[in-house]
Amino acid sequence: MNTIKKKLTIDDIARLANVSRSTVSRVLNNNPNVNEAKRKRIMDIIDEQHFVPNSMARNLGTGSTRTIAIFVGEITNQYFSEIIRGAEEVAISQGYFPLICLIQNPGREQFYIEEMIQQRASGAIIVSSSIKNAASIRQLAMSMSLVSIQSELCGIAPLYYLDTENQLGIYNITKHLIQLGHRNLAYLSTLPNTTVLEERYAGFCKACSDFHLSFAEDHVLHGYHKEDISVSVENLILSENRPTALCCCNDFSAGIAYQKIRQLGLRIPEDISLTGFDDLPIATIMNPMLTTVKQPIREMGRRAMKLLIESLDNAENPVSGTVLRFPSEVILRESTAPPAAI
Amino acid sequence: MNTIKKKLTIDDIARLANVSRSTVSRVLNNNPNVNEAKRKRIMDIIDEQHFVPNSMARNLGTGSTRTIAIFVGEITNQYFSEIIRGAEEVAISQGYFPLICLIQNPGREQFYIEEMIQQRASGAIIVSSSIKNAASIRQLAMSMSLVSIQSELCGIAPLYYLDTENQLGIYNITKHLIQLGHRNLAYLSTLPNTTVLEERYAGFCKACSDFHLSFAEDHVLHGYHKEDISVSVENLILSENRPTALCCCNDFSAGIAYQKIRQLGLRIPEDISLTGFDDLPIATIMNPMLTTVKQPIREMGRRAMKLLIESLDNAENPVSGTVLRFPSEVILRESTAPPAAI
DNA sequence: TTGTACGCGTTATCAC
DNA sequence: GTGATAACGCGTACAA
């Protein structure tokens, strides 16, 4: 019961069925050139013996792994797990196998990149706040097709780059705050300062500028780890010139700000309005529920995988660098309100 | 730049270095029996040509993949992603490669099980609210070593079964509610009704019994999908005999109850106290923050991987069925309070 | 220290 | 239809 069975090979099955290994192979691969009775007999023996072909040997023979690497950052962050969900679902439906690579630090990044090259993955989807190792990613690009979701690849152009209307999304939600009457705004970003984040910040700046608002320099916050962000927010909240609204670059950092604001005894939105970006499930767990910009995260995961596999299956080499923009949409909820009367 | 390089083989390197492929193989595997000058020369050529050995061929030869399957349910649920984090970290540090299998439905379950057998994974960690396909899991058990985290395997005994003090945890948190003065309790469980959930429910029952409390039969809720749970909670809240406290079998369902309670305009904990189990990150995002039972989720992921790899590396066949219990601990936060005076 | 020859389990290419 | 036989890319006894 508990003993691990010795592995059978295709030759064992051939012997039991009194045929050559070629015939068994044909049955295994649904090749029509096999006598029906023989096929049935062989299939029965395969089932009976619980024979399972060795995919390594198979891949070695065919020269293809039908394997897709999915590089993601922190998996406990729902942004990444949503993308995985979307990408995985498409991969499987197309007969590809997803290899999930957790690159929460530069060491892992390099490890998984090398590993995927060794394993001869057919392609890779990369979604990470930042890729650190230029040499590694360059080698990855030489080994397989790449698709990026909101990620910079150290200057390497992927086959496709998927992103959303970052600037417009933040512009609109900032406008919403301004139209509620807020005049003293602050902006919370994370590090490193990628293109995606720059676009969002630009949206904030443009909205302020369009409505003739200025903001203090120390009202623009940055942080990488939860702790840094937390401290920045605390300093902001306790400062003389406390803003009446805080616009965050994503829901993750908005969640951290939310906790800190609560901890300091302030009310959202009465004392300060708060906004995010992503529309993760936690946005509706928060109380008040978070006003945020929704982007089709899972759909981007699906599309990334779909485009990658299409290019793989068509064996054509499309020109790298196609950019796809997905729409973003402001979702009004409870965390924003007019500022308290002064 | 965008062209995928044709793959080099160990023979190409051997030719370029004027040595046999065995020597290159030795260099690749850090075999000391190689002339230093020659080693250096070969390494240079390897770097220069960006040669990367093919791990499929390597595994085929050695007969070992050093690969561990991690079967998990819904990856967007932080319970599962925390376990993955812990397990992944240990796997990599021990030179094993984690293959993450998302078994959100019976079809995927069977697919991934067959796939892992084909890929000749060295072992598997299973963490799922339920395994459906008995035949598949049985075959998996015949193909590799299994470790289970809070999961039933259709009667198959894994090498190790890791779990927490389910009954004691719920007993203690129920006791907490009773000692706050609650006399009208309800319990929210999910489906399917696994051993883990039975133990938790038993803890609830025992606490009630020890304190001479009875509860109405319709105060015990069940649900599988978010929608079912939501409806059950709504019915409970709107019923004549509304409880003053709701004890949930995990944080996930507590989160759903929390949203529904808010939506119905009730206050937590003033109108109803709420408790969970797991202590996921969302427990502190909720407002009020959730009183819950903490279990060492990530640590269980680490231990599961550690035990599995130890048994694999030692090549001994330990007796299956060892059970490890981890402690659980009540974390008092804001979602529980004495019931409102009648 | 180095090279030769074979095996790993499968697919593909031939003949028959 | 079917069956030998040669790849696929590497590790590894074994011999030198």
Side-chain angles (χ1 to χ4, degrees):
Chain A
M1 176 73 164
N2 185 36
T3 50
I4 308 292
K5 268 176 76 167
K6 194 196 146 295
K7 291 303 175 315
L8 295 170
T9 77
I10 202 175
D11 287 310
D12 297 321
I13 304 300
R15 202 172 309 121
L16 288 169
N18 273 319
V19 294
S20 75
R21 74 150 141 271
S22 318
T23 304
V24 179
S25 176
R26 289 192 190 94
V27 171
L28 252 21
N29 294 289
N30 291 317
N31 185 316
N33 296 332
V34 172
N35 177 293
E36 260 321 307
K38 208 170 259 183
R39 148 168 282 131
K40 170 105 184 54
R41 184 155 53 89
I42 295 176
M43 299 246 300
D44 286 347
I45 294 180
I46 287 175
D47 286 347
E48 184 183 302
Q49 300 290 326
H50 298 298
F51 167 72
V52 180
N54 183 320
S55 53
M56 286 170 299
R58 188 172 259 182
N59 293 339
L60 231 204
T62 59
S64 158
T65 57
R66 292 187 76 83
T67 262
I68 308 275
I70 305 178
F71 291 88
V72 296
E74 179 56 68
I75 200 182
T76 57
N77 181 330
Q78 287 179 318
Y79 168 76
F80 294 109
S81 49
E82 283 289 332
I83 288 183
I84 292 177
R85 279 294 307 267
E88 188 256 10
E89 153 189 330
V90 172
I92 304 252
S93 76
Q94 302 296 98
Y96 280 78
F97 191 88
L99 295 172
I100 298 170
C101 304
L102 274 33
I103 52 173
Q104 25 237 1
N105 62 56
R108 279 288 191 289
E109 177 185 313
Q110 174 144 10
F111 168 81
Y112 274 114
I113 288 180
E114 288 174 2
E115 194 66 26
M116 288 304 99
I117 297 176
Q118 287 194 189
Q119 293 192 22
R120 303 293 190 261
S122 306
I125 291 173
I126 299 175
V127 35
S128 160
S129 53
S130 81
I131 293 294
K132 313 275 191 190
N133 194 320
S136 290
I137 193 76
R138 187 162 298 127
Q139 219 198 323
L140 189 71
M142 314 227 1
S143 308
M144 62 192 77
S145 299
L146 266 36
V147 170
S148 153
I149 298 180
Q150 303 192 127
S151 307
E152 279 166 14
L153 271 30
C154 298
I156 304 279
L159 212 51
Y160 293 95
Y161 173 83
L162 312 199
D163 203 343
T164 45
E165 293 164 346
N166 292 302
Q167 182 169 341
L168 185 60
I170 288 287
Y171 180 89
N172 284 335
I173 206 165
T174 306
K175 188 168 113 185
H176 161 67
L177 289 170
I178 294 172
Q179 288 177 336
L180 281 174
H182 291 278
R183 294 292 173 267
N184 186 356
L185 305 178
Y187 186 79
L188 170 57
S189 190
T190 55
L191 290 173
N193 198 22
T194 60
T195 301
V196 170
L197 293 181
E198 274 173 12
E199 289 176 4
R200 294 189 187 170
Y201 179 56
F204 177 75
C205 294
K206 181 158 193 306
C208 289
S209 150
D210 282 2
F211 289 86
H212 312 294
L213 246 60
S214 66
F215 50 88
E217 210 171 283
D218 62 359
H219 273 29
V220 179
L221 276 36
H222 289 278
Y224 179 62
H225 289 293
K226 177 173 177 171
E227 292 69 32
D228 314 335
I229 299 175
S230 226
V231 169
S232 299
V233 171
E234 177 157 10
N235 290 337
L236 177 75
I237 297 299
L238 298 181
S239 71
E240 297 266 312
N241 183 25
R242 189 177 82 206
T244 60
L246 176 58
C247 177
C248 304
C249 70
N250 57 31
D251 287 358
F252 177 75
S253 59
I256 297 169
Y258 163 93
Q259 286 181 306
K260 176 53 75 179
I261 290 168
R262 279 197 60 208
Q263 186 186 320
L264 293 173
L266 270 70
R267 295 162 305 164
I268 302 171
E270 292 85 351
D271 298 319
I272 185 167
S273 285
L274 186 71
T275 68
F277 199 116
D278 278 345
D279 195 26
L280 299 181
I282 54 159
T284 61
I285 287 284
M286 293 188 201
N287 179 8
M289 295 193 281
L290 188 68
T291 291
T292 190
V293 179
K294 179 193 183 90
Q295 54 176 352
I297 303 180
R298 193 178 291 200
E299 175 60 17
M300 289 197 287
R302 282 197 206 96
R303 283 296 292 283
M305 186 60 83
K306 197 152 167 281
L307 292 167
L308 179 55
I309 290 178
E310 274 172 8
S311 99
L312 253 31
D313 285 349
N314 292 340
E316 297 179 23
N317 249 346
V319 183
S320 278
T322 307
V323 175
L324 265 71
R325 287 274 174 185
F326 289 73
S328 61
E329 176 195 359
V330 173
I331 306 287
L332 296 180
R333 283 202 270 253
E334 306 163 345
S335 67
T336 50
I342 304 170
Chain B
M1 177 74 164
N2 185 36
T3 51
I4 307 294
K5 269 177 73 168
K6 196 197 141 296
K7 290 304 176 314
L8 295 169
T9 76
I10 202 174
D11 288 308
D12 296 321
I13 303 301
R15 202 172 309 121
L16 287 168
N18 273 321
V19 295
S20 74
R21 79 144 139 278
S22 327
T23 305
V24 179
S25 176
R26 289 191 189 95
V27 171
L28 251 22
N29 294 290
N30 292 315
N31 185 316
N33 294 333
V34 174
N35 176 294
E36 261 320 307
K38 209 169 259 184
R39 147 169 281 132
K40 171 108 181 54
R41 184 155 54 86
I42 295 175
M43 299 248 299
D44 285 346
I45 295 179
I46 288 175
D47 286 347
E48 183 183 303
Q49 301 289 326
H50 298 298
F51 167 73
V52 180
N54 182 321
S55 53
M56 286 170 300
R58 192 174 249 176
N59 292 339
L60 230 205
T62 59
S64 158
T65 58
R66 294 187 75 83
T67 261
I68 308 276
I70 305 179
F71 291 88
V72 296
E74 179 56 68
I75 201 183
T76 56
N77 182 329
Q78 287 179 318
Y79 168 76
F80 294 109
S81 49
E82 283 289 332
I83 287 184
I84 291 176
R85 279 293 309 266
E88 188 255 11
E89 163 187 322
V90 172
I92 304 251
S93 77
Q94 301 297 95
Y96 279 80
F97 190 88
L99 295 172
I100 299 170
C101 304
L102 273 34
I103 51 174
Q104 26 236 0
N105 61 56
R108 277 288 190 291
E109 176 185 312
Q110 176 145 8
F111 168 80
Y112 274 115
I113 288 180
E114 287 173 4
E115 194 64 29
M116 288 304 99
I117 297 176
Q118 285 194 191
Q119 294 193 21
R120 304 293 190 261
S122 306
I125 291 173
I126 298 174
V127 36
S128 160
S129 54
S130 80
I131 293 293
K132 313 273 189 192
N133 193 319
S136 290
I137 193 76
R138 188 163 297 126
Q139 219 198 322
L140 189 71
M142 313 226 6
S143 307
M144 63 192 75
S145 299
L146 265 36
V147 170
S148 154
I149 299 180
Q150 303 193 129
S151 308
E152 279 166 16
L153 271 30
C154 299
I156 303 279
L159 212 52
Y160 293 95
Y161 173 84
L162 312 200
D163 204 341
T164 45
E165 293 163 348
N166 291 302
Q167 181 169 342
L168 185 61
I170 288 287
Y171 180 90
N172 285 334
I173 206 164
T174 305
K175 189 168 112 186
H176 160 67
L177 288 170
I178 295 172
Q179 289 177 338
L180 281 174
H182 292 278
R183 293 293 174 266
N184 186 357
L185 304 179
Y187 186 80
L188 170 57
S189 189
T190 55
L191 290 173
N193 197 21
T194 60
T195 302
V196 170
L197 293 180
E198 275 174 10
E199 288 177 5
R200 293 188 189 171
Y201 179 56
F204 177 75
C205 294
K206 182 160 193 305
C208 288
S209 151
D210 282 2
F211 288 87
H212 312 294
L213 246 58
S214 65
F215 50 88
E217 210 171 283
D218 62 1
H219 274 29
V220 180
L221 275 35
H222 290 278
Y224 179 62
H225 290 294
K226 178 173 176 171
E227 293 69 32
D228 315 336
I229 298 174
S230 228
V231 169
S232 299
V233 171
E234 177 159 8
N235 290 338
L236 178 76
I237 297 299
L238 299 180
S239 71
E240 297 267 311
N241 183 25
R242 190 176 81 206
T244 60
L246 176 57
C247 178
C248 304
C249 70
N250 58 32
D251 287 358
F252 178 74
S253 59
I256 297 169
Y258 162 93
Q259 286 181 306
K260 177 52 76 178
I261 291 170
R262 278 196 60 209
Q263 186 185 319
L264 294 173
L266 270 71
R267 296 162 304 166
I268 301 171
E270 292 83 353
D271 299 318
I272 184 167
S273 285
L274 186 71
T275 68
F277 199 115
D278 278 345
D279 195 26
L280 299 181
I282 54 159
T284 61
I285 287 285
M286 293 187 201
N287 179 10
M289 294 193 281
L290 188 68
T291 291
T292 190
V293 179
K294 180 194 183 89
Q295 54 175 352
I297 302 179
R298 192 178 292 201
E299 175 61 18
M300 288 198 288
R302 282 198 206 96
R303 283 296 292 282
M305 186 60 82
K306 198 151 167 279
L307 292 167
L308 178 55
I309 290 179
E310 274 172 7
S311 99
L312 254 31
D313 285 349
N314 293 340
E316 297 179 22
N317 248 347
V319 183
S320 277
T322 307
V323 176
L324 265 73
R325 288 274 174 183
F326 289 73
S328 60
E329 176 195 0
V330 174
I331 307 287
L332 296 180
R333 284 202 269 253
E334 306 163 345
S335 68
T336 49
I342 305 171

